[in-house]
Amino acid sequence: MQRVAHKMKLFKGCEAEYKKRHDELWPELKALLKHTGIKHYSIFLDEETNYLFAYFFIEDDSKLSDLPMQTVMQKWWAYMKDIMETNDDNSPVSAALKEVFYLP
């Protein structure tokens, strides 16, 4: 099992809407993430900077490269683009984080 972490940027004033949308996560998106092998997915908000910290486990992180081509993923990104920084394809601007410590 591999651990993956990355950060994204939420627009100021969109904190409640971001939480609401994730509280109502589409069943088909949830199914896609689970089918990809993602487990224990958590997203945290740094309220001082509005950076989001996402962290999950995945059996094989090479499967992540398939997600951008999935229709439901593209629809989700389009749905979220009004409340967070995104790329031209609507995917969130995301930076992988380097692990510097782990206590199993």
Side-chain angles (χ1 to χ4, degrees), residues 17-74:
E17 182 62 24
Y18 186 88
K19 172 126 176 55
K20 177 183 178 291
R21 292 181 190 187
H22 282 78
D23 286 347
E24 300 168 353
L25 189 67
W26 303 339
E28 60 271 27
L29 180 56
K30 186 185 287 188
L32 172 64
L33 297 175
K34 288 186 176 286
H35 177 75
T36 303
I38 293 173
K39 298 178 181 175
H40 304 287
Y41 195 164
S42 296
I43 302 174
F44 298 86
L45 173 65
D46 178 343
E47 295 178 307
E48 291 179 21
T49 65
N50 263 35
Y51 272 99
L52 298 161
F53 165 72
Y55 175 81
F56 57 86
F57 292 92
I58 188 164
E59 295 167 13
D60 177 4
D61 68 354
S62 68
K63 292 183 178 181
L64 294 174
S65 62
D66 294 335
L67 287 177
M69 288 149 301
Q70 302 300 317
T71 302
V72 68
M73 189 87 265
Q74 293 170 5

Side-chain angles (χ1 to χ4, degrees), residues 3-21:
R3 295 178 313 278
V4 177
H6 60 275
K7 68 177 182 175
M8 301 167 287
K9 180 77 173 194
L10 186 63
F11 295 143
K12 188 152 184 66
C14 295
E15 300 85 358
E17 182 62 24
Y18 186 88
K19 172 126 176 55
K20 177 183 178 291
R21 292 181 190 187

Side-chain angles (χ1 to χ4, degrees), residues 82-101:
D82 64 321
I83 63 172
M84 61 190 305
E85 290 183 356
T86 58
N87 296 301
D88 291 339
D89 66 354
N90 294 333
S91 65
V93 173
S94 177
L97 297 174
K98 178 181 175 182
E99 183 175 291
V100 295
F101 175 77

